[in-house]
Amino acid sequence: MAMPLRQSIKVATYLAEQKLRKRDKFPLIVELEPLYACNLKCEGCGKIQHPAGVLKQRMPVAQAVGAVLESGAPMVSIAGGEPLMHPQIDEIVRQLVARRKYVFLCTNAMLLRKKMDTFKPSPYFAFAVHIDGLRERHDESVAKEGVFDEAVAAIKEAKRRGFRVTTNSTFFNTDTPQTIIEVLNYLNDDLQVDEMMISPAYAYEKAPDQEHFLGVEQTRELFKKAFSGGNRRRWRLNHSPLFLDFLEGKVDFPCTAWAIPNYSLFGWQKPCYLMSDGYVTTYRELIEDTDWDAYGRGKDPRCANCMAHCGYEPTAVLATMGSLKESLRALRETVSGNHGNHGNHGNHGNQG
C-alpha cells in the first residue's frame, strides 16, 4: 500500500477517535459529486443518463464544502461526471485542502492540461486519473479515440509540475490477468504514478453496457492470477492488504457502504453511489434512516456480484485497525511503499 505516511497516520488517528467516541458508523472518505455532466460516454457509467436539466446543474462551492465538513471525513474523492467541467472546482479543492482534508480529484484527464494552472501541488491533493487499460483497451472503454494518449500526456505534465498523481482502473469480464498486468506495469514502472487504485466493475443499473460486469468468482480468479509472481508487492497499490486479500478470495467481508457515503446534487444517496434508494439532506439522516443490514451480498440481489472498493475497502480498513497483526502488516507495506516511491521518482516533497 503506497499511501503517504502522513495520510496513513491521519486516518489511523481519526479511526482511533471514532473508537474512543464509541461510534459504530462514520465516514472514511466522502464521494462528492458536484455535477453529473461529462465530456465522455463510457459504457460502464450510468451518471450521464440523467435528464438534460440535471446535467446542466453545478453544485455551489459552499454546499460542496459544507457537506464534507458535516460528515467529518478525513478524505474526499471528487467525482462526477467530469469534475473539471465545474467552473469552480479549483475553489472547492482549495477550500477543502485549506481544512486539511485529503482530496482526490477524479478525472478522465481530457481537460487536465488546460485546467492545471488553477491548482497548486499539495500533500493534501492528488489528481486521480481514470485509466482502464492500455491505449486500445482504454479508448474502447471510454468510446473515444485519443483519450489514452491525452491522459498520459496530462499525467506526465502534472508530475513534472510537482502534483501527486494517482490512477483508478476498473476491470471488466473482458479483461484477463495479462491485460491487468500490462496496464498496472505501465502505470507503476513507465508513468511512475504515486498510487494506483483498482476495482472490479459493478453492474451499475443505468450503465449502457450490462454484459461485461464481473461476477464474484470471476473477480477472485482474475486478481489471484494478476497478483501472482510478486506483482502485488511490487505495484504501488492504494489499498489495504486485507482488501487485496478480499479481491483474491483469501478472505470475505460484509459491505460497509456507510463508510464511503455519496453526496451529489440530490443530497446524500442511499445506500451508496452505485445504488440509488433515495436521498436525504444530512449525513446524520443517511446514517440513521438507512437500513444498512438490508444491503450486501446475500441480502440484496443487486449486491450479488459487487466487490467494489466503496463497500469493501472500508471493511478491510476497519478489520486492519482491529488486529495488531494486520496493523503491523499494513504499516510495513505503507513504509516500504513510501521508500519505493522516493527511490523511483522525484516529486515527493508533495507527498508529505
Side-chain angles (χ1 to χ4, degrees):
M1 184 171 67
M3 182 186 290
L5 191 57
R6 178 189 292 181
Q7 184 179 341
S8 299
I9 292 171
K10 179 164 184 173
V11 171
T13 302
Y14 169 79
L15 291 174
E17 288 174 354
Q18 306 313 304
K19 188 171 183 178
L20 283 173
R21 296 177 182 180
K22 297 183 178 179
R23 292 177 177 167
D24 60 349
K25 290 183 176 63
F26 46 85
L28 279 175
I29 182 168
V30 169
E31 291 272 1
L32 177 66
E33 294 180 324
L35 81 173
Y36 287 133
C38 190
N39 49 3
L40 292 177
K41 297 180 179 179
C42 302
E43 290 297 306
C45 177
K47 296 294 181 181
I48 60 171
Q49 306 303 314
H50 288 289
V54 173
L55 295 179
K56 292 178 181 178
Q57 294 180 30
R58 305 291 184 263
M59 187 182 293
V61 174
Q63 183 181 344
V65 174
V68 175
L69 297 181
E70 176 208 349
S71 75
M75 299 181 288
V76 188
S77 174
I78 305 178
E82 171 50 56
L84 291 178
M85 291 176 66
H86 193 297
Q88 295 174 293
I89 190 62
D90 57 321
E91 182 61 18
I92 293 174
V93 169
R94 190 192 68 77
Q95 291 197 24
L96 290 172
V97 166
R99 290 165 173 82
R100 297 192 175 185
K101 301 294 183 182
Y102 283 93
V103 180
F104 298 85
L105 193 153
C106 304
T107 176
N108 57 41
M110 292 293 287
L111 297 171
L112 183 50
R113 287 198 288 178
K114 295 178 182 177
K115 299 291 185 77
M116 206 176 294
D117 286 338
T118 62
F119 298 92
K120 293 182 179 179
S122 165
Y124 291 96
F125 177 65
F127 290 114
V129 180
H130 172 212
I131 299 284
D132 280 353
L134 296 181
R135 182 180 292 108
E136 182 179 350
R137 195 165 194 82
H138 181 70
D139 286 356
E140 181 182 6
S141 75
V142 300
K144 186 174 182 178
E145 291 185 7
V147 176
F148 178 83
D149 288 340
E150 178 58 34
V152 168
I155 288 171
K156 290 179 178 178
E157 178 61 14
K159 289 192 63 60
R160 187 188 71 80
R161 296 193 191 192
F163 287 99
R164 286 185 61 213
V165 181
T166 70
T167 54
N168 183 12
S169 301
T170 304
F171 298 112
F172 296 81
N173 65 12
T174 49
D175 278 292
T176 65
Q178 189 58 33
T179 63
I180 294 176
I181 290 169
E182 287 172 356
V183 69
L184 294 183
N185 276 347
Y186 179 74
L187 296 172
N188 192 82
D189 302 336
D190 294 80
L191 284 187
Q192 298 185 341
V193 300
D194 293 280
E195 304 161 7
M196 301 178 293
M197 190 166 72
I198 58 178
S199 186
Y202 169 76
Y204 201 179
E205 187 178 21
K206 293 184 178 180
D209 180 359
Q210 291 288 319
E211 298 179 9
H212 296 123
F213 294 109
L214 286 160
V216 171
E217 291 308 317
Q218 285 178 300
T219 296
R220 289 170 175 165
E221 192 65 21
L222 188 64
F223 285 106
K224 187 184 300 180
K225 291 179 178 177
F227 288 160
S228 65
N231 287 328
R232 175 175 154 173
R233 291 189 299 275
R234 189 172 60 81
W235 290 329
R236 290 182 296 279
L237 297 173
N238 185 22
H239 294 289
S240 65
L242 277 179
F243 179 72
L244 300 178
D245 287 349
F246 169 75
L247 289 182
E248 287 193 66
K250 292 180 178 178
V251 295
D252 202 7
F253 291 123
C255 173
T256 49
W258 46 263
I260 306 187
N262 173 273
Y263 185 78
S264 70
L265 294 166
F266 301 142
W268 294 98
Q269 183 170 323
K270 301 167 62 173
C272 65
Y273 86 99
L274 293 167
M275 291 166 56
S276 181
D277 285 356
Y279 297 85
V280 292
T281 306
T282 66
Y283 177 71
R284 183 171 183 175
E285 287 178 272
L286 176 72
I287 293 301
E288 295 179 354
D289 295 353
T290 305
D291 183 5
W292 299 104
D293 293 334
Y295 297 101
R297 281 186 283 118
K299 297 178 180 179
D300 188 312
R302 295 172 296 176
C303 304
N305 289 315
C306 181
M307 294 181 71
H309 65 274
C310 63
Y312 296 96
E313 176 76 79
T315 324
V317 170
L318 294 172
T320 298
M321 292 299 294
S323 163
L324 177 59
K325 177 182 175 182
E326 292 299 336
S327 295
L328 292 173
R329 178 189 178 197
L331 180 62
R332 282 196 303 271
E333 296 201 15
T334 297
V335 172
S336 65
N338 278 277
H339 287 169
N341 283 347
H342 281 281
N344 280 328
H345 42 99
N347 294 324
H348 293 282
N350 300 313
Q351 281 200 12

